[in-house]
């Protein structure tokens, strides 16, 4: 059937939203087994150790963030972090219960071995851990408390923004500024050494 | 292929981004009937990530600036060695730009005269000829500005004052002063006072995924509401397949409704291309037909050539004091144009701006800010984060890149979009001149940072920018306006030399790229072209040959 569009009015055809990644991740998120949760928590706690007043990732539920952003089974993992549920579960299962129960030093060595043996996958897990950890309200609150540079940080840019605490321009700066520009009628040929005139790009055609 | 419906209009505009929106609105102000075809759709403010706790991740996912990463149905794939910043939708790439709003300088229109390297030509118009249209466009968008910049020609008052500098702007500004270098608060197409339904910026620090408040002057909240009120027929999800030509004149275009798959044909007296500097050459090349075997407007083989991206380096500097770079405008707090003009004793032609920017939130800080320098995992993570988060300033070297003929857009028929149309193929290599320019500029960025304060750490992308070979944030020059049918694709009124009623009004038409963000200039050029069409509609429609610059009817 031909769709004849009316002027300036949205047409009735329905957009297929499954063709785009859902903002905020897939809700309600995948459900990990209790062992998978312990394993993931142990892993991310090695990546971002607690200290200086900051909580451990396992204390602020970074697992829930992973659960939203891993592509659920049946959905192609075509968007960041480019990892699907089944692949991630398999990886956690491969670490096994021994990892979750190991001493910290042993866990550290295993994390380092993952980095060496599968750097691409490790990089994504590490980056996801950073995205997750620094999105948690408890961590933002800690930044507010512990870091002078972060005392005003909020959990998201909107709706509040930062106009209440953003510094205005220091008017004293403007009396010192110098500058000039070349008027159209004053543009002249500049002396170009042959070495500059002769340079070129690789000049390859594809 | 069989068209299944037909419509007729005075002017058909292809693309609803910066150029297409400006043309549609300005033409319809004059009572000209306009149909605009846009392959994307409207974006609702709630589709943006600004209120989500995962807003920093969404920037590399649903709001990545590369269509190849977003992979939305309205995006088309781009092959080759660069993945430029592009967006399909009502507003085009302005949907995710940050509204940095510098103007080109007078010298930028005379680079052929100044040096002519790599066949660089002068623009066929001067800064003074374009200035009235910069001013019209600035008023349409409500630009924030501090007047008095001694490094540029006088500009009119903005709608509101310049966006705030924050601790970061004041620190770096003081550093420039210490060196005696030019600098100035950046003009931004961002509201600092409310205007109609758009709210003033609340300094949220997150600009490059657009704006939920309408503060950033994306075309969907500036030109389009007024254009629709004028009666412009904007058709979304309408992907153009071909510009149609008969007897040397454009007759309109055929498009595919992406949702139904049905083809439609629009007939028009004038066709205006505004599909960006990759999409426009792609479509012209796709429109090869009888009498135009190499694509439309391409009898001299110039369509797609002279692709410019700007040459970049992003340098992150961390200081020993809080700078709170998660606040304010994201990309353009201030700029220095101390090294803008050619001084060949430096070992290169052209020049650069040093653009001062910010750093987003806590996750982005841990993930390497603007240069990919990630916080280490493990025992050193905590100290690294504490010493880097909120203590950062970005100084970007934004260099003018030469318009190199072999940097170009072609068609890749082995890869197709969701409608089966061939992908554009992009080939771009950083010119030796531009590489030297950026390396030299980096030494000046470092000098500025050290003058500003106690730098405790630095990192850089190097010449490559944020991705190899260059970020492609700004895509320009692939259908440049020029002086003769031999040196360009259009005349000085944006009229293609080969097809008199076919105009090009996006950044394709920029003859050179200057060393500043291009949207204010491309939109001023689009406004100028629209005013010309409005005033000379009957003349243009009656032309069988595109007039030379000296012979063309005046405005």
């Amino acid at each position: 059937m031909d769709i004849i569009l009316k002027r300036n009015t949205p047409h009735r055809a329905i957009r297929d939203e499954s063709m785009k990644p859902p903002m905020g991740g897939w809700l309600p998120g995948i459900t990990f087994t209790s062992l998978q949760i312990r394993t993931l928590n142990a892993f991310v706690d090695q990546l971002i150790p607690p200290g200086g007043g900051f909580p451990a990732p396992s204390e602020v539920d970074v697992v829930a963030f992973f659960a939203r952003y891993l592509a659920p089974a049946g959905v192609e993992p075509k968007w960041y972090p480019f990892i699907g549920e089944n692949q991630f579960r398999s990886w956690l299962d491969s670490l096994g219960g021994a990892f979750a129960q190991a001493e910290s030093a042993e866990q550290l060595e295993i994390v380092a071995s993952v980095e060496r043996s599968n750097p691409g996958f490790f990089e994504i897990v590490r980056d996801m851990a950073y995205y997750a950890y620094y999105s948690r309200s408890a961590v933002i609150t800690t930044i507010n408390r512990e870091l002078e540079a972060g005392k005003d940080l909020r959990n998201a840019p909107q709706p509040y923004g930062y106009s209440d605490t953003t510094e205005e321009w220091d008017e004293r700066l403007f009396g010192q500024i110098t500058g000039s520009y070349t008027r159209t009628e004053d543009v002249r040929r500049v002396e170009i050494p042959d070495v500059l005139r002769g340079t070129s790009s690789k000049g390859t055609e594809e | 292929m069989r068209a299944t419906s037909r419509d007729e209009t005075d002017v058909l505009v292809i693309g609803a981004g910066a150029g297409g929106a400006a043309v549609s609105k300005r033409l319809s102000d004059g009572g000209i009937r306009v149909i605009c075809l846009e392959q994307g759709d409207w974006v609702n403010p709630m589709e943006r990530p600004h209120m989500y706790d995962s807003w920093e991740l969404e920037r590399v996912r649903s709001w990545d600036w590369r269509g190849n990463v977003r992979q939305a149905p309205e995006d088309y794939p781009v092959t080759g060695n660069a993945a430029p910043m592009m967006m399909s939708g009502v507003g085009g790439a302005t949907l995710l730009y940050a509204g940095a709003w510098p103007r080109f300088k007078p010298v930028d229109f005379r680079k052929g005269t100044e040096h002519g390297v790599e066949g660089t030509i002068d623009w066929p118009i001067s800064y003074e000829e374009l200035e009235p249209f910069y001013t019209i466009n600035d008023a349409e968008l409500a630009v924030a500005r501090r007047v008095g910049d001694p490094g540029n020609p006088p500009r009119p008052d903005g709608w509101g004052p310049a966006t705030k500098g924050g601790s970061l702007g004041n620190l770096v500004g003081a550093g420039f002063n210490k060196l005696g270098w030019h600098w100035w608060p950046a003009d931004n197409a961002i509201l600092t006072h409310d205007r109609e339904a758009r709210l003033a910026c609340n300094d949220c620090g997150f600009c490059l995924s657009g704006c939920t408040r309408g503060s950033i002057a994306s075309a969907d909240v500036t030109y389009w509401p007024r254009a629709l009120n004028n009666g412009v027929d904007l058709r979304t999800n309408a992907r153009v397949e071909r510009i149609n030509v008969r007897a040397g004149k454009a007759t309109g275009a055929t498009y595919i409704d992406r949702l139904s798959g049905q083809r439609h044909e629009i007939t028009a007296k004038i066709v205006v291309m505004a599909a960006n500097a990759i999409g426009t050459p792609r479509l012209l090349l796709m429109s090869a037909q009888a009498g135009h075997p190499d694509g439309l407007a391409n009898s001299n083989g110039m369509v797609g050539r002279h692709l410019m991206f700007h040459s970049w380096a992003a340098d992150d500097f961390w200081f020993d004091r809080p700078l709170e770079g998660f606040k304010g405008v994201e990309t353009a707090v201030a700029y220095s144009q101390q090294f803008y003009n050619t001084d060949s004793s430096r070992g290169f032609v052209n020049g650069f701006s040093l653009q001062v920017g910010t750093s987003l939130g806590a996750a982005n800080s841990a993930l390497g800010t603007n240069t990919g320098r990630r916080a280490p995992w493990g025992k050193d993570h905590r100290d690294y984060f504490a010493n880097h988060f909120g203590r950062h300033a970005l100084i970007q070297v934004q260099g003018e890149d030469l318009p190199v003929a072999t940097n170009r857009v072609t068609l890749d028929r082995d890869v197709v979009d969701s409608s089966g149309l061939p992908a554009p193929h992009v080939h771009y290599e950083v010119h030796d001149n531009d590489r030297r320019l950026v390396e030299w500029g980096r030494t000046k960025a470092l000098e500025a940072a050290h003058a500003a304060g106690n730098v405790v750490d630095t990192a850089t992308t190097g010449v490559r920018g944020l991705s190899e070979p260059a970020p492609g944030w700004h895509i320009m020059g692939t259908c440049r306006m020029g002086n003769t049918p031999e040196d360009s694709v259009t005349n000085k009124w944006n009229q293609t030399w080969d097809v008199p009623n076919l105009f090009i009004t996006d950044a394709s038409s920029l003859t050179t790229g200057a060393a500043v963000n291009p949207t204010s200039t491309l939109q001023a050029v689009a406004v100028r072209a629209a005013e010309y069409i409005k005033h000379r509609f009957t003349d243009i429609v009656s032309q069988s040959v595109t007039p030379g610059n000296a012979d063309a009817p005046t405005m």
Side-chain angles (χ1 to χ4, degrees):
Chain A
M1 183 186 79
D2 188 22
I3 297 175
I4 305 299
L5 305 181
K6 293 182 177 179
R7 282 177 172 266
N8 306 330
T9 56
H11 51 73
R12 303 289 181 192
I14 297 172
R15 290 191 287 180
D16 182 358
E17 295 298 340
S18 69
M19 301 290 285
K20 294 186 176 186
M23 181 67 66
W26 286 273
L27 296 179
I30 64 176
T31 303
F32 291 110
T33 67
S34 58
L35 176 58
Q36 288 167 342
I37 290 171
R38 289 201 305 278
T39 302
L40 181 54
N41 274 331
F43 199 91
V44 294
D45 281 355
Q46 290 295 333
L47 296 175
I48 310 174
F54 280 78
S58 58
E59 297 175 74
V60 296
D61 198 13
V62 299
V63 171
F65 191 97
F66 276 80
R68 280 160 41 198
Y69 276 103
L70 296 168
V75 175
E76 181 188 358
K78 60 191 286 192
W79 298 292
Y80 189 87
F82 311 111
I83 299 175
E85 172 183 354
N86 292 340
Q87 182 189 5
F88 198 74
R89 285 186 192 278
S90 296
W91 174 69
L92 289 174
D93 293 344
S94 72
L95 291 174
F99 175 77
Q101 293 165 8
E103 294 295 322
S104 179
E106 189 179 350
Q107 287 179 343
L108 182 63
E109 178 49 39
I110 292 170
V111 172
S113 73
V114 173
E115 183 180 29
R116 288 191 299 271
S117 63
N118 195 351
F121 188 84
F122 175 85
E123 183 177 320
I124 291 177
V125 174
R126 177 202 59 199
D127 288 358
M128 277 293 288
Y130 289 4
Y131 279 123
Y133 183 74
Y134 288 108
S135 75
R136 308 288 83 185
S137 295
V139 174
I140 304 300
T141 302
T142 307
I143 289 173
N144 297 155
R145 186 181 66 238
E146 300 293 337
L147 301 179
E148 173 67 17
K151 66 182 189 317
D152 300 326
L153 182 68
R154 293 184 167 126
N155 219 59
Q158 294 291 349
Y160 291 105
Y162 292 104
S163 290
D164 53 330
T165 58
T166 304
E167 205 171 288
E168 300 283 354
W169 284 107
D170 180 350
E171 291 294 323
R172 294 170 299 181
L173 295 173
F174 296 110
Q176 306 169 49
I177 299 175
T178 61
S180 64
Y181 63 93
T182 306
R183 298 181 304 172
T184 301
E185 58 269 34
D186 294 333
V187 176
R188 299 283 184 276
R189 194 75 165 179
V190 297
E191 193 69 29
I192 305 292
D194 288 345
V195 66
L196 293 189
R197 196 165 293 287
T199 58
S200 68
S201 69
K202 302 292 186 295
T204 54
E205 295 267 9
E206 284 215 337
Chain B
M1 188 271 294
R2 186 174 66 86
T4 56
S5 72
R6 290 177 188 275
D7 277 300
E8 180 272 337
T9 189
D10 293 331
V11 177
L12 173 63
V13 177
I14 296 172
V23 168
S24 297
K25 192 271 182 183
R26 299 296 302 186
L27 288 177
S28 58
D29 281 346
I32 292 178
R33 295 178 305 144
V34 177
I35 293 177
C36 178
L37 303 177
E38 167 55 51
Q39 65 188 310
D41 211 327
W42 290 92
V43 172
N44 186 287
M46 292 306 292
E47 293 180 86
R48 299 187 185 276
H50 298 64
M51 297 188 194
Y52 289 81
D53 63 358
S54 50
W55 61 281
E56 295 189 272
L57 181 149
E58 291 292 351
R59 186 172 163 160
V60 296
R61 184 174 179 260
S62 55
W63 279 90
D64 195 284
W65 56 68
R66 297 159 295 183
N68 283 1
V69 176
R70 291 190 307 269
Q71 303 175 77
E74 66 269 23
D75 295 317
Y76 53 85
V78 178
T79 65
N81 69 350
M85 176 182 188
M86 297 200 301
M87 183 84 177
S88 297
V90 179
T94 69
L95 289 168
L96 45 64
Y97 84 151
W101 213 246
R103 294 182 178 186
F104 284 20
K105 290 171 179 267
V107 70
D108 291 321
F109 297 81
R110 294 290 177 265
K111 287 291 178 175
T113 297
E114 190 197 55
H115 62 72
V117 173
E118 277 288 350
T120 301
I121 61 172
D122 283 347
W123 285 57
I125 59 175
S126 65
Y127 175 83
E128 289 74 17
E129 289 173 274
L130 191 58
E131 198 284 333
F133 305 98
Y134 274 122
T135 296
I136 290 170
N137 193 51
D138 288 355
E140 291 270 17
L141 271 57
V143 171
R145 168 177 296 141
R146 183 184 184 100
V147 297
D149 176 4
N152 280 278
R155 287 171 277 192
D157 287 336
W159 175 261
T163 46
K164 294 179 183 178
S167 312
L168 186 160
N170 286 323
L171 178 97
V172 180
F176 287 137
N177 279 351
K178 190 184 291 185
L179 294 166
W181 292 359
H182 165 267
W183 73 279
W184 200 254
D187 286 6
N188 280 301
I190 296 175
L191 290 182
T192 47
H193 292 315
D194 293 348
R195 188 191 203 192
E196 298 166 353
R198 299 170 58 202
L199 300 175
C201 172
N202 64 358
D203 302 293
C204 83
F206 184 33
C207 300
L208 279 173
S209 292
C211 184
T212 55
R213 298 168 61 85
S215 310
I216 297 176
S218 50
D220 59 327
V221 297
T222 54
Y223 277 113
W224 274 116
R226 295 173 201 160
L228 295 180
N229 196 46
N230 285 347
V232 172
D233 181 356
L234 170 62
R235 302 188 183 189
T236 56
N237 301 299
R239 175 171 278 156
V240 176
E241 180 178 45
R242 195 175 85 147
I243 310 301
N244 299 316
V245 175
R246 188 170 56 245
K249 302 283 287 286
T251 59
T254 304
Y255 75 89
I256 301 167
D257 184 311
R258 286 195 309 102
L259 303 183
S260 70
Q262 293 290 323
R263 285 184 166 80
H264 304 257
E265 183 172 342
I266 306 292
T267 58
K269 297 179 179 68
I270 292 174
V271 175
V272 176
M273 302 291 299
N276 86 36
I278 289 175
T280 287
R282 175 198 187 208
L283 189 46
L284 291 174
L285 295 172
M286 281 163 48
S287 299
Q289 54 201 283
H292 305 270
D294 299 319
L296 278 188
N298 195 32
S299 62
N300 62 7
M302 285 210 173
V303 166
R305 293 189 181 274
H306 306 112
L307 173 66
M308 295 172 286
F309 280 164
H310 287 136
S311 44
W312 292 87
D315 281 51
D316 283 329
F317 299 100
W318 289 273
F319 292 82
D320 65 350
R321 52 166 284 191
L323 293 176
E324 302 180 316
F326 52 88
K327 304 175 180 176
V329 295
E330 184 179 351
T331 65
V333 175
Y335 55 86
S336 169
Q337 296 180 330
Q338 181 69 23
F339 306 102
Y340 199 88
N341 287 353
T342 292
D343 177 348
S344 57
S345 69
R346 297 172 185 150
F348 52 85
V349 297
N350 293 326
F352 57 89
S353 297
L354 294 175
Q355 189 166 297
V356 180
T358 59
S359 51
L360 294 181
N364 192 57
S365 183
L367 285 154
T369 315
N370 300 294
T371 51
R373 186 188 180 116
R374 283 170 173 76
W377 66 269
K379 63 181 175 55
D380 296 328
H381 181 89
R382 192 79 285 132
D383 281 349
Y384 184 97
F385 184 83
N387 292 326
H388 288 74
F389 172 70
R391 295 167 174 265
H392 162 271
L394 167 69
I395 304 181
Q396 295 193 98
V397 181
Q398 182 178 15
E400 176 168 2
D401 54 343
L402 290 165
V404 179
T406 51
N407 287 340
R408 64 184 300 202
V409 177
T410 54
L411 292 183
D412 185 343
R413 297 189 184 279
D414 295 331
V415 178
V416 296
D417 64 20
S418 60
S419 302
L421 306 178
H425 179 91
V426 173
H427 177 72
Y428 183 94
E429 294 180 27
V430 180
H431 193 285
D432 289 342
N433 177 84
D434 305 338
R435 196 174 292 277
R436 287 194 298 272
L437 180 155
V438 174
E439 287 291 7
W440 195 88
R442 284 193 52 232
T443 68
K444 295 301 167 187
L446 183 66
E447 199 175 333
H450 281 289
N454 293 323
V455 177
V456 298
D457 200 3
T458 67
T460 182
T461 59
V463 177
R464 65 189 175 92
L466 299 183
S467 62
E468 186 67 30
W473 285 344
H474 305 149
I475 47 178
M476 305 170 285
T478 50
C479 299
R480 70 184 184 186
M481 68 160 66
N483 304 288
T484 70
E486 289 75 38
D487 73 7
S488 52
V489 178
T490 81
N491 72 4
K492 70 175 184 178
W493 296 110
N494 300 74
Q495 221 172 340
T496 61
W497 291 112
D498 291 358
V499 183
N501 64 337
L502 178 64
F503 286 69
I504 296 173
T505 64
D506 53 39
S508 308
S509 66
L510 304 187
T511 312
T512 57
V516 296
N517 307 57
T519 309
S520 70
T521 298
L522 88 83
Q523 221 163 27
V525 168
V527 169
R528 178 176 177 271
E531 294 304 305
Y532 185 70
I533 293 170
K534 199 190 302 180
H535 286 91
R536 290 293 182 181
F537 185 87
T538 304
D539 294 314
I540 294 164
V541 170
S542 68
Q543 289 166 351
S544 57
V545 176
T546 301
N549 288 338
D551 304 325
T554 59
M555 181 84 78

